[in-house]
Amino acid sequence: MSTTARLRDRRVHLERRATATKAVRTSLVSLAGLIGGPATNQAGEEVGRVVDVVARLYGPDAYPPVTGLILRIGRRHTFLASDAIGKVHAGHVRLSTARVDLRDFARRPGEALLAKDVLDHQLVDVDGVQVTRAADLYLAPLVDRVVLVGVDVSLPTLLRRLGPRRWQARPTPERVLDWQAVAPFAEQATEGPPEVRLRASRAALHRLRPADLADILEDLGRAERQQLLGWLEPEQAADALEEMEPHELENLLREAQPEHAARLVDEMEPDEATDALRDLTPEEREALLTRMPTGEAAELRRLLTHREGTAGGAMTTLLITAHQDQTVAQVRAQLAEQAEHRTEIDAVTVVDDQGRLMCDIALFDVAVAEDTTPVADLVAWRAQFGPPDTIRPDTPLNEAADQLVAARASSLLVVDDTGRPLGRILADDLLDALLPERGRLHFRRFLQ
């Protein structure tokens, strides 16, 4: 999707949000102000005090509906279903019937206690791409029910809750984040059932760039980031892990269940996966490798045999190889099959029948050639510029960097003693390795 189309889609989405309407913003009810407030019957007599509000947080609704209240009646905490709620005011609740069916509370799938599970807990502001905490939650009547429409994350609101009770019930609409822009992590902190479904706000996480997800993962607590990883597809999670700071990634892999960590590492690009495994202890590394598919584990073990700080230790083994008897159309078909690895591929390697390197053709040259052009013609044309620049797997990274600069290239092929390609070392991998104190300088972030 083009940038213009994304912005147009985002504008339409924002306009459809409930908190964009004046009627909703003027009817907001503060959850913080409601907790501890009275629940009264039709005659205005106090029935009990509000302890918490129950909402179906994880379901098909864009705005979670309130399904009931937890009331304190005497010394007992009991559940009041939503059909007995008449009106939710600032600081108190009025019931719709004189006959109240009070029962013990049993959490149903997807439900959360808003005060206990969400208020003051971490959540992700998807629009602002940041991790924050809920200082207050806002309820509002929408159609024929009360729903959770927004969250307040501002410091003044947190201070408001510390003041007199008459201040606590005052919502601040100018600071509200629409609920559709929020991804909460409530069920990780509750004793409720695990049967939850992906909300629209969680789906918004899938539209974030890997670099943004990496920043979010680094800011989350242990439980929350493991939960976030569980929401993402393995491929998307792996892309985010590749953008994380090495020490943060190391901690994340140690925190995860070995089976899940192994799957994530398996989805990472080979060079990134190798770097991640190097930071673990031999026992931790082997625990992950033994849980990976045999072929992928064997490849990573081969990469781990190369010393850190050498071209072999930083290269990726993902190569697009072609033969002279192929056409450009056939090579393009190979490239299309590897579209998910586009940031790891900047050239096509041509080898002879024995697998020895003949030529390295830049993707631009492939892009401008006719479909029917034989690869042999491109090899002949490239021959006038001399043999491709290559390095050995034991070449120190600083020497590889010098050679890369001299060649004015974005990558160098790594070959063995017989001239067979082993992998490719990319410019951003060299930057990551040689300038660790400046953080990970991924060109891929800009390419994406």
Side-chain angles (χ1 to χ4, degrees):
M1 185 184 294
S2 68
T3 300
T4 302
R6 283 198 301 270
L7 291 175
R8 182 171 59 252
D9 179 69
R10 174 180 167 80
R11 185 178 65 253
V12 171
H13 185 63
L14 289 174
E15 290 172 352
R16 290 175 179 171
R17 291 181 174 175
T19 51
T21 65
K22 184 178 180 180
V24 170
R25 293 175 72 85
T26 56
S27 62
L28 296 178
V29 175
S30 163
L31 175 74
L34 192 62
I35 301 304
T40 61
N41 59 22
Q42 291 174 306
E45 299 170 336
E46 182 175 319
V47 175
R49 291 274 168 172
V50 179
V51 174
D52 215 325
V53 176
V54 184
R56 190 168 61 245
L57 202 63
Y58 304 102
D61 303 284
Y63 296 98
V66 170
T67 57
L69 302 174
I70 305 295
L71 298 180
R72 185 179 71 251
I73 301 177
R75 296 184 178 182
R76 180 186 175 194
H77 284 189
T78 188
F79 177 71
L80 177 70
S82 59
D83 55 9
I85 300 174
K87 181 75 173 179
V88 178
H89 300 274
H92 75 281
V93 175
R94 183 178 294 275
L95 306 185
S96 61
T97 176
R99 295 179 61 85
V100 179
D101 179 18
L102 299 176
R103 66 192 79 165
D104 291 334
F105 173 62
R107 191 193 304 264
R108 293 169 292 187
E111 286 186 334
L113 303 179
L114 296 185
K116 176 185 176 184
D117 303 337
V118 184
L119 193 64
D120 296 323
H121 283 70
Q122 281 189 317
L123 49 82
V124 174
D125 172 5
V126 178
D127 283 350
V129 191
Q130 61 181 335
V131 176
T132 185
R133 287 184 182 274
D136 200 357
L137 300 174
Y138 294 134
L139 309 173
L142 198 63
V143 190
D144 58 348
R145 55 186 178 176
V146 178
V147 299
L148 174 60
V149 294
V151 58
D152 192 331
V153 298
S154 63
L155 179 59
T157 296
L158 189 61
L159 297 176
R160 164 170 62 83
R161 289 170 50 194
L162 301 176
R165 178 161 181 79
R166 64 180 182 277
W167 293 359
Q168 296 175 12
R170 297 177 182 175
T172 49
E174 67 279 2
R175 302 190 188 112
V176 66
L177 296 178
D178 192 277
W179 187 255
Q180 291 192 58
V182 172
F185 298 93
E187 74 266 28
Q188 185 69 28
T190 72
E191 299 174 355
E195 301 89 342
V196 295
R197 295 292 180 265
L198 194 67
R199 288 179 55 255
S201 62
R202 293 193 203 175
L205 290 168
H206 292 246
R207 297 194 294 270
L208 295 179
R209 297 177 306 140
D212 293 331
L213 282 173
D215 291 338
I216 288 172
L217 286 168
E218 290 173 357
D219 291 339
L220 287 173
R222 173 187 292 191
E224 288 82 5
R225 64 180 175 186
Q226 291 302 324
Q227 186 178 345
L228 174 54
L229 286 175
W231 292 346
L232 303 174
E233 295 298 327
E235 298 83 359
Q236 187 188 20
D239 289 342
L241 264 56
E242 291 173 5
E243 302 288 348
M244 292 181 67
E245 294 291 339
H247 70 280
E248 293 283 0
L249 176 56
E250 178 184 349
N251 291 336
L252 184 148
L253 292 177
R254 287 197 170 111
E255 295 164 1
Q257 292 295 321
E259 293 77 9
H260 190 205
R263 186 177 183 187
L264 291 173
V265 173
D266 181 40
E267 292 290 345
M268 295 171 68
E269 299 295 348
D271 56 328
E272 301 283 356
T274 303
D275 288 343
L277 290 173
R278 285 187 195 279
D279 293 331
L280 302 177
T281 66
E283 294 77 15
E284 292 169 333
R285 188 183 310 138
E286 193 59 30
L288 298 189
L289 288 169
T290 55
R291 288 172 168 82
M292 293 182 195
T294 304
E296 286 79 354
E299 179 183 2
L300 292 178
R301 283 193 171 96
R302 284 195 299 272
L303 288 172
L304 287 166
T305 61
H306 298 290
R307 288 186 298 110
E308 191 172 7
T310 65
M315 70 181 179
T316 176
T317 56
L318 179 63
L319 296 173
I320 300 296
T321 58
H323 296 272
Q324 291 195 90
D325 58 357
Q326 290 181 267
T327 64
V328 167
Q330 290 173 318
V331 173
R332 285 176 179 155
Q334 288 180 245
L335 288 167
E337 292 175 357
Q338 298 295 331
E340 62 182 302
H341 302 291
R342 60 172 61 88
T343 58
E344 296 286 320
I345 301 169
D346 66 349
V348 174
T349 304
V350 183
V351 296
D352 61 20
D353 293 339
Q354 284 74 46
R356 292 188 295 266
L357 176 65
M358 296 185 64
C359 184
D360 202 30
I361 304 174
L363 291 188
F364 180 83
D365 296 332
V366 176
V368 299
E370 296 290 339
D371 283 350
T372 56
T373 301
V375 171
D377 288 357
L378 295 181
V379 172
W381 177 75
R382 290 292 307 172
Q384 65 181 307
F385 302 106
D389 291 285
T390 62
I391 52 177
R392 296 286 302 282
D394 57 354
T395 301
L397 287 180
N398 57 346
E399 293 182 18
D402 291 340
Q403 189 168 338
L404 184 73
V405 172
R408 295 178 177 270
S410 60
S411 69
L412 291 173
L413 280 172
V414 182
V415 299
D416 63 14
D417 294 339
T418 65
R420 291 179 172 83
L422 298 175
R424 186 182 296 277
I425 186 164
L426 304 165
D428 67 333
D429 292 324
L430 286 171
L431 284 173
D432 287 342
L434 297 176
L435 301 174
E437 71 282 356
R438 295 184 58 185
R440 298 177 68 79
L441 304 176
H442 282 281
F443 290 162
R444 298 165 207 167
R445 297 190 180 189
F446 301 104
L447 292 174
Q448 290 168 344

